Amino acid sequence: MSSIRVPKSMRAKRELLKHAPKLVENGKKMLILHGTKTSAVLNSVLADLFHLKRDHAVKFTKKNDNIRPFESGGETSLEFFSLKSDCSLFVYGSHSKKRPNNLVLGRTYDHHIYDLVEVGVENYKSIESYAYNKNFAPKLGTKPFFAFIGEHFESVDGLKHLKEMLLDHFKGEVVENLNLVGVDRIFVCTAISPTTVYMMHCALRLKRSGTSIPRMELVEVGPSMDLVVRRNRRPAESLQKEAMKAPGHAKKVKNVSDNPIDGKLGRVYIPDQEVSKLALTSDIKGLKRERRDAKKNKEHSKKQKVNPE
């Protein structure tokens, strides 16, 4: 049975944090849920979204009566399902007379609702409605490109929030190196108006261009739809600041750098010393030795006076 080391002081706690293993955040998974009532269009949308994210998605098929993301108390079941399935992203579909073909995109932090964007789906075309060579179909687990066209993505708060949400939902895992051959899809989002975004999913074909960079062609493979922003809710400032903290990064030490050849290097600043202004005290070792020698010589001379030869 191994014992647990509990730090007894702040210094001990800092030393344990230095040698602790770095935290690695796992890839984000998406949870797909149905509301009390859904339409045939919305069922097809949710099925296509699951098809695009099937390697990092969990889909619930049962209807959920107690989920109302924008209402107080209606988030409890959603947060429970997020914890149970270990999903930090979710898509909730519902249909009503007031809000037809309604999608709610959301993110969670520590399995609590972080932020929400509500959109309406219009002019939807499913994956099955597109005819193309199946050899061009994007493969499972590949990284997508994103193209956001239109100035409204920078000036309108609702579209800025929707852009962040789409990037987080469909970008996949964060990687350091990327092979261009493995990028075979792109999401093209065009801001038609301050509240409407046309989103389409295309496959990428790499062709020879005579240079080291290949020429790319787009083949629309679906789905495509118009997303009309209805409501959105930003996170609280304190919650956003806490969620933005990156795990596993130690505090930067001033004037210390790591060199792959010399290892860790430190820089020390020493002020100029003015020797002329230094105060000399009587406790200097050299002066003490001179005093001892003088005292011995004095005692020796006294002995010679007392006992002359």
Side-chain angles (χ1 to χ4, degrees), residues 13 24 35 50 56 63 97-98 114 138 145 153 162 219 242 261 309:
K13 185 177 180 180
V24 179
F50 177 71
H56 293 94
K63 295 181 179 181
K97 186 177 180 180
K98 185 178 180 181
Y114 180 72
F145 278 125
F153 284 114
L162 179 61
V219 179
E242 183 181 356
I261 299 175
E309 292 181 356

Side-chain angles (χ1 to χ4, degrees), residues 236-249:
E237 188 175 351
S238 58
L239 180 62
Q240 185 178 11
K241 186 177 180 181
E242 183 181 356
M244 289 298 178
K245 292 180 180 178
H249 293 283

Side-chain angles (χ1 to χ4, degrees), residues 237-273:
E237 188 175 351
S238 58
L239 180 62
Q240 185 178 11
K241 186 177 180 181
E242 183 181 356
M244 289 298 178
K245 292 180 180 178
H249 293 283
K251 187 177 179 181
K252 186 177 180 181
V253 182
K254 190 177 180 181
N255 298 329
V256 176
S257 60
D258 289 326
N259 191 300
I261 299 175
D262 300 329
K264 186 177 288 188
L265 300 176
R267 182 179 296 178
V268 180
Y269 292 92
I270 301 176
D272 296 335
Q273 294 183 355

Side-chain angles (χ1 to χ4, degrees), residues 246-306:
H249 293 283
K251 187 177 179 181
K252 186 177 180 181
V253 182
K254 190 177 180 181
N255 298 329
V256 176
S257 60
D258 289 326
N259 191 300
I261 299 175
D262 300 329
K264 186 177 288 188
L265 300 176
R267 182 179 296 178
V268 180
Y269 292 92
I270 301 176
D272 296 335
Q273 294 183 355
E274 297 181 3
V275 182
S276 60
K277 295 183 179 180
L278 292 176
L280 299 177
T281 61
S282 58
D283 296 332
I284 301 176
K285 291 184 178 180
L287 294 177
K288 290 182 178 179
R289 186 174 180 180
E290 292 178 357
R291 289 173 182 173
R292 286 197 300 270
D293 294 342
K295 188 176 181 181
K296 287 181 181 180
N297 294 333
K298 188 176 181 181
E299 291 177 354
H300 183 68
S301 61
K302 283 183 179 181
K303 288 181 180 180
Q304 287 181 346
K305 290 180 181 179
V306 173

Side-chain angles (χ1 to χ4, degrees), residues 31-48:
L31 176 64
I32 300 175
L33 306 103
H34 295 256
T36 306
K37 184 180 178 182
T38 56
S39 62
V41 173
L42 205 57
N43 290 334
S44 181
V45 171
L46 296 176
D48 284 350

Side-chain angles (χ1 to χ4, degrees), residues 22-150:
K22 290 186 177 181
L23 298 176
V24 179
E25 189 176 4
N26 56 354
K28 295 181 179 180
K29 294 195 300 181
M30 186 168 69
L31 176 64
I32 300 175
L33 306 103
H34 295 256
T36 306
K37 184 180 178 182
T38 56
S39 62
V41 173
L42 205 57
N43 290 334
S44 181
V45 171
L46 296 176
D48 284 350
L49 293 181
F50 177 71
H51 177 76
L52 295 176
K53 289 276 295 183
R54 60 189 182 276
D55 54 336
H56 293 94
V58 177
K59 187 173 183 287
F60 289 176
T61 56
K62 291 185 178 181
K63 295 181 179 181
N64 299 277
D65 302 332
N66 301 325
I67 296 179
R68 295 176 180 83
F70 282 92
E71 297 181 11
S72 177
E75 305 170 348
T76 307
S77 298
L78 186 58
E79 293 174 349
F80 170 75
F81 290 142
S82 171
L83 177 62
K84 183 179 179 181
S85 58
D86 191 24
C87 294
S88 56
L89 309 170
F90 66 87
V91 178
Y92 174 74
S94 61
H95 179 76
S96 64
K97 186 177 180 180
K98 185 178 180 181
R99 295 186 177 90
N101 299 325
N102 197 58
L103 277 182
V104 178
L105 308 177
R107 297 180 288 187
T108 63
Y109 173 70
D110 195 19
H111 301 294
H112 294 285
I113 299 298
Y114 180 72
D115 60 346
L116 300 166
V117 175
E118 184 182 65
V119 295
V121 178
E122 298 179 358
N123 304 321
Y124 171 71
K125 291 180 67 176
S126 65
I127 296 176
E128 296 178 353
S129 62
Y130 287 90
Y132 59 93
N133 189 348
K134 300 302 180 183
N135 294 328
F136 303 146
K139 296 177 176 59
L140 183 67
T142 55
K143 293 281 290 181
F145 278 125
F146 284 89
F148 292 93
I149 305 170

